[in-house]
Amino acid sequence: MERREFLKMGVAAGAMVAASALPALADPSYTSFTLKECFAMTPQQMAEQSGAVMQGWKYIHTQAAGIRNPQIRNSVVEIINNPAPQLLDVVLSRKKEVYKELDKNGWVKGVSYEAFLPENGSPAKANQPFFTSPGSGYSSHHCYPGGLATHTALNLKMSLALYENYSDIYEFNLDRDVVVAAQILHDLHKPWVFQWQKNGECRTEQSLAGTGEHHVLGVAESIVRGLPAEVCVAQACAHGHPGFAKDEASAVNWLKAAAIIANVDPVKYGLLEKGGESLPLPRSMEAFVTHLGDHDWVLTVPAAHWLIPATEEIAMQDYGFKKSDLGSAKFHAFRNLVFSQATVMSLYHLMQKDGKDALRKQINSIVVKA
């Protein structure tokens, strides 16, 4: 069963009460820039100048600070403040062995040894802050500086809405620390994987164990950092729930691949049940909530696909870009700033509700025509 199909079974009720159960984020304000200013800005400057991004980033920090378990809280805060791949301390001396083991399981298909693991990784310092990273690839969801912060904040609010609803309707409490930590960390290595390039696009992601490499690398990082098994398992389930055998098999493979990278025994660590063929039993409800919470992509992916061509059209008609410029660093700077200021979702909603002229007016208010 696909993730979007399973979503229908549980998340609708949570979305209905999210606004009342949790504090709302304030309406972001937009800042106006000239094209010249736009071309001179770095991705970090764009993210820092975005009200939506900074509000999302503040919300993530607030929820991380509310984690009651000090070990989990300290680890989560440390990671989001510096998402450096400390797993490199564990894997680099074993890289050939690790790649061979992953390849034996068919988990690095189409990925060469040289391309295995993103470049420019340092276990001491992240190559970019968490809040400057895009939320996914350059043609996918939240594809702008700061997209990871808005994506994670929305997913976190969805997960906490489910947490509150389960308490209200079923009269029991899930482990809130696990729900918050797993959702915050579910994309922790996107800053490493989706590095901004000189042309204004982000790095292209490789596959690992049948999903985007950021997912398995993120789980491996949590293991290396000593997060409890319950958090790591829930984190792994962000991309696939354990409710059906085929879906659980995927989560099991991601945990096995992460354990190979982190150099731990997945059963002894508590990631898998004895025998290594299922998640720990009974299966964690927090894992399901993490999975359900990570469904912002269901709408945000197609919204990006529909908005990007409209933005390109406006750029050519109003700002003098030519069709041949649409792959240039200057156009990418223009697009990145517009999307970071207003978010793809807000712009698509405006276009869907009020039409392309309203979208044009909004873009013109963010990047002032000469």
Side-chain angles (χ1 to χ4, degrees):
M1 179 177 286
E2 293 185 2
R3 294 168 69 194
R4 69 191 66 192
E5 293 172 349
F6 190 72
L7 172 66
K8 298 174 183 176
M9 298 171 62
V11 78
M16 291 174 64
V17 302
S20 60
L22 299 166
L25 301 182
D27 291 334
S29 58
Y30 305 143
T31 304
S32 296
F33 302 87
T34 65
L35 264 179
K36 184 177 180 181
E37 290 172 333
C38 169
F39 296 155
M41 293 178 75
T42 66
Q44 182 165 342
Q45 289 170 332
M46 292 181 185
E48 289 172 340
Q49 290 291 319
S50 167
V53 170
M54 289 295 97
Q55 286 171 21
W57 182 227
K58 181 180 179 180
Y59 177 76
I60 294 166
H61 264 281
T62 298
Q63 296 306 321
I67 295 173
R68 297 184 66 179
N69 182 301
Q71 178 201 354
I72 299 176
R73 180 178 65 247
N74 293 340
S75 294
V76 171
V77 171
E78 180 181 320
I79 289 171
I80 62 176
N81 283 337
N82 180 24
Q86 291 187 9
L87 62 83
L88 290 175
D89 282 334
V90 177
V91 77
L92 282 183
S93 63
R94 309 165 37 248
K95 186 177 177 182
K96 288 185 178 179
E97 172 191 340
V98 169
Y99 181 84
K100 184 177 180 181
E101 186 68 16
L102 294 171
D103 187 44
K104 184 175 74 173
N105 287 281
W107 293 336
V108 285
K109 288 181 180 178
V111 180
S112 67
Y113 173 77
E114 291 73 22
F116 171 57
L117 299 179
E119 62 277 9
N120 303 323
S122 166
K125 184 178 180 180
N127 50 35
Q128 66 173 318
F130 185 102
F131 70 85
T132 70
S133 173
S136 193
Y138 203 60
S139 62
S140 190
H141 66 84
H142 302 87
C143 48
Y144 52 85
L148 178 57
T150 55
H151 171 59
T152 302
L154 190 284
N155 284 4
L156 186 53
K157 286 178 75 72
M158 290 174 67
S159 294
L160 286 172
L162 283 167
Y163 170 88
E164 296 291 344
N165 289 345
Y166 282 15
S167 177
D168 291 345
I169 303 300
Y170 300 127
E171 299 183 344
F172 66 82
N173 291 324
L174 297 171
D175 189 325
R176 192 179 190 279
D177 285 356
V178 172
V179 170
V180 171
Q183 196 59 258
I184 290 177
L185 299 179
H186 87 281
D187 282 340
L188 76 89
H189 267 327
K190 282 186 173 179
W192 185 27
V193 168
F194 293 116
Q195 301 170 44
W196 290 107
Q197 307 296 298
K198 290 182 179 179
N199 70 349
E201 295 184 354
C202 59
R203 174 184 175 274
T204 300
E205 183 174 34
Q206 302 290 335
S207 176
L208 182 55
T211 190
E213 63 186 328
H214 76 272
H215 188 61
V216 173
L217 294 176
V219 177
E221 186 69 36
S222 290
I223 297 170
V224 168
R225 301 273 190 139
L227 270 298
E230 294 83 359
V231 173
C232 299
V233 170
Q235 181 182 346
C237 288
H239 279 201
H241 64 85
F244 301 93
K246 182 180 178 181
D247 299 292
E248 181 172 16
S250 294
V252 167
N253 286 342
W254 299 329
L255 286 162
K256 286 181 177 179
I260 290 170
I261 293 168
N263 199 25
V264 301
D265 183 313
V267 174
K268 289 182 179 179
Y269 197 95
L271 304 171
L272 299 176
E273 187 69 10
K274 185 177 180 181
E277 297 307 316
S278 78
L279 299 185
L281 301 176
R283 294 171 181 84
S284 159
M285 295 182 77
E286 289 79 7
F288 282 90
V289 169
T290 303
H291 174 73
L292 291 169
D294 186 26
H295 273 79
D296 191 23
W297 64 272
V298 175
L299 175 55
T300 52
V301 170
H305 292 169
W306 296 322
L307 181 69
I308 290 170
T311 304
E312 292 174 341
E313 181 182 318
I314 292 170
M316 290 188 288
Q317 292 175 349
D318 290 21
Y319 295 90
F321 286 99
K322 299 177 182 178
K323 193 170 181 114
S324 58
D325 295 327
L326 298 182
S328 69
K330 286 188 174 182
F331 172 73
H332 293 150
F334 169 84
R335 186 188 118 169
N336 290 346
L337 179 61
V338 169
F339 289 1
S340 184
Q341 277 291 308
T343 76
V344 169
M345 286 293 284
S346 292
L347 290 170
Y348 176 71
H349 177 261
L350 182 65
M351 182 173 72
Q352 177 258 316
K353 183 171 179 281
D354 297 327
K356 195 173 291 185
D357 285 343
L359 173 65
R360 182 189 308 277
K361 183 178 179 180
Q362 183 66 81
I363 291 176
N364 289 166
S365 74
I366 295 171
V367 179
V368 181
K369 294 189 292 184

